[in-house]
Amino acid sequence: MIDADTVIARLREADARSGGRRLAWTETWANERARLDAIAEDASDAVMVERDAFANAWYVLPGETDETVLVGSHSDSVPDGGWLDGMLGVHAGLGVLAAVAAGGRTPKRTLAVVDWADEEGTRFGRSLLGSAAATGALTGEELDRLRAHDGTPAREVTAAYGFDANALGTRSGRLRSVVAAVELHIEQGPTLERTGREVAAVAGCLGVRRSRITFEGEPGHAGTIAMPDRHDPVRTAAAFVTELFALAEQEDGFATTGEIEAEPAFVTAVPQRCRISLDMRHADARALDRLSTSARKLLEAGRCPASVTELHRQDPVHFDAGLIDAAVQASDGGPPLTSGPLHDSASLALAGIRTVMLFTSSKSGVSHCRDEDTPEAHLRRGLLALHRLIVTLLEPART
Ligand SMILES: [Zn+2]
């Protein structure tokens, strides 16, 4: 059985050492990864520690066949991140690997634990960098557009950690043998806690449409232009956001405006322009399309003209139906969740690899901050569920 005490203790030690500052492509991150290497090597002499061409760490316990069951997540964090986001899935995977190795019998299928490089995208603004590179989804041209805040090219920063940009565009070697992939992660939202659940299967990730919208108005003095005569871009933007958010609520989706800028920005001016971001998410692609159409019509009907720059477009990700059933059985038997955030598992599912996730609850639904937490009892349930599911998958006759 998986040693949950050890896994949880390792997570707390890693957090104490790194203080939630395991930013990808830094020394702190590399040091934690060296510790992961040592833990994997300690698990069994049979374990192979490897880096693929894209700085992803692979810990492989060979089975009777090359068919591989992958369990992975990410050890990098956002600045001042929590102790569980990503790291839970990596240490959990190594805990499962140790338990399987300790069983003394070579599993039918090969087990690979993977620590994907740079899931968070903190340095270059591109999430899922390592997993997207491994599936062939990240191109050399896209990498060449990415730069750190200080202007250093991503190609240069990542090369120092063994990332080979010349290998981009093809699927990373070991990934070709993967027949099933599983990731244990914290929910990072309030649903499980609100419904009194500890661990659940995840059916997929929400689709995303993200854009920046600029409303062009006519500037003026706050005390001279009569309200009916104004072409106030803030007023048009506010009306747009209010109406669109109501539609998103009716559709049971999400709409978020996280950035609002007026220009010029001072208290006595009707601004000339107003720039906002818009992030819309939904589990159903048709609902996302309806919201996009509504947004376009609202913009066309607005008093101030608007221009739209698309930032990111991702259709909903659906995990494998058979694996979802297995994950439901291994967890609490309840209905599967849909993830609001994207995960490395989305990269794998989009590449046609059979994938599923498990979520444990998040206290108060918070993540990406030092307050991120999960009750230890829920973590234990999650670790047991992951172990149960992986053991099932290592026996092909039963999947
Ligand atoms: Zn994560």
Side-chain angles (χ1 to χ4, degrees), residues 238-256 278-282 284 286-301:
F240 167 75
V241 163
T242 307
E243 289 188 53
L244 189 70
F245 283 16
L247 290 171
E249 196 172 327
Q250 277 170 29
E251 288 274 12
D252 221 5
F254 301 84
T256 304
L278 178 65
D279 180 297
M280 299 189 291
R281 299 187 190 218
H282 206 289
D284 178 2
R286 284 163 307 180
L288 266 183
D289 288 341
R290 281 196 297 276
L291 283 172
S292 297
T293 305
S294 301
R296 204 174 54 240
K297 284 185 181 156
L298 286 170
L299 291 176
E300 281 165 12

Side-chain angles (χ1 to χ4, degrees), residues 185-394:
H185 204 282
I186 51 167
E187 185 199 342
Q188 305 179 280
T191 306
L192 288 180
E193 185 180 74
R194 214 174 45 213
T195 49
R197 298 173 67 187
E198 300 179 351
V199 55
V202 183
C205 300
L206 299 181
V208 183
R209 304 268 191 278
R210 191 178 300 153
S211 53
R212 276 212 182 87
I213 305 168
T214 305
F215 297 87
E216 285 289 339
E218 290 171 12
H221 192 285
T224 59
I225 319 277
M227 294 304 281
D229 296 338
R230 289 186 185 188
H231 290 264
D232 181 345
V234 171
R235 188 172 181 177
T236 305
F240 167 75
V241 163
T242 307
E243 289 188 53
L244 189 70
F245 283 16
L247 290 171
E249 196 172 327
Q250 277 170 29
E251 288 274 12
D252 221 5
F254 301 84
T256 304
T257 290
E259 297 175 358
I260 308 176
E261 276 169 30
E263 192 188 314
F266 54 92
V267 287
T268 53
V270 177
Q272 166 139 30
R273 64 182 63 84
C274 176
R275 200 174 294 121
I276 66 168
S277 63
L278 178 65
D279 180 297
M280 299 189 291
R281 299 187 190 218
H282 206 289
D284 178 2
R286 284 163 307 180
L288 266 183
D289 288 341
R290 281 196 297 276
L291 283 172
S292 297
T293 305
S294 301
R296 204 174 54 240
K297 284 185 181 156
L298 286 170
L299 291 176
E300 281 165 12
R303 184 166 169 90
C304 295
S307 57
V308 179
T309 309
E310 191 170 290
L311 296 179
H312 184 58
R313 183 191 179 89
Q314 172 66 65
D315 279 336
V317 175
H318 302 289
F319 293 148
D320 181 80
L323 285 182
I324 294 170
D325 284 347
V328 166
Q329 281 169 38
S331 57
D332 72 349
L337 264 60
T338 300
S339 173
L342 282 174
H343 295 282
D344 291 310
S345 289
S347 292
L348 304 185
L350 287 167
I353 295 167
R354 295 175 67 213
T355 304
V356 76
M357 290 184 78
L358 292 167
F359 275 173
T360 60
S361 75
S362 288
K363 264 189 193 165
S364 310
V366 300
S367 183
H368 281 191
C369 61
R370 296 299 289 154
D371 290 338
E372 172 190 287
D373 203 6
T374 299
E376 276 203 11
H378 298 195
L379 292 176
R380 283 171 207 283
R381 283 287 182 87
L383 293 169
L384 287 178
L386 180 72
H387 184 225
R388 210 174 296 147
L389 182 55
I390 296 300
V391 166
T392 311
L393 293 171
L394 289 172

Side-chain angles (χ1 to χ4, degrees), residues 33 50-58 114-117 130-131 133-134 172:
R33 298 188 106 197
E50 301 169 356
R51 295 285 189 275
D52 68 14
F54 310 113
N56 301 302
W58 288 71
V114 181
D115 171 25
W116 298 111
S131 54
S172 153

Side-chain angles (χ1 to χ4, degrees), residues 140-160:
E141 296 79 65
E142 188 184 353
L143 185 77
D144 283 338
R145 286 197 297 270
L146 301 177
R147 281 170 193 278
H149 297 300
D150 65 2
T152 317
R155 192 181 270 261
E156 193 180 312
V157 174
T158 58

Side-chain angles (χ1 to χ4, degrees), residues 73-78 84-87 119-120 128 183-186 188 341-344 357 367-368 372:
S73 200
H74 60 96
S75 63
D76 70 308
S77 73
V78 296
L84 295 168
D85 177 5
M87 208 45 147
E119 190 269 356
E120 298 288 1
L128 319 181
E183 179 172 6
L184 173 67
H185 204 282
I186 51 167
Q188 305 179 280
L342 282 174
H343 295 282
D344 291 310
M357 290 184 78
S367 183
H368 281 191
E372 172 190 287

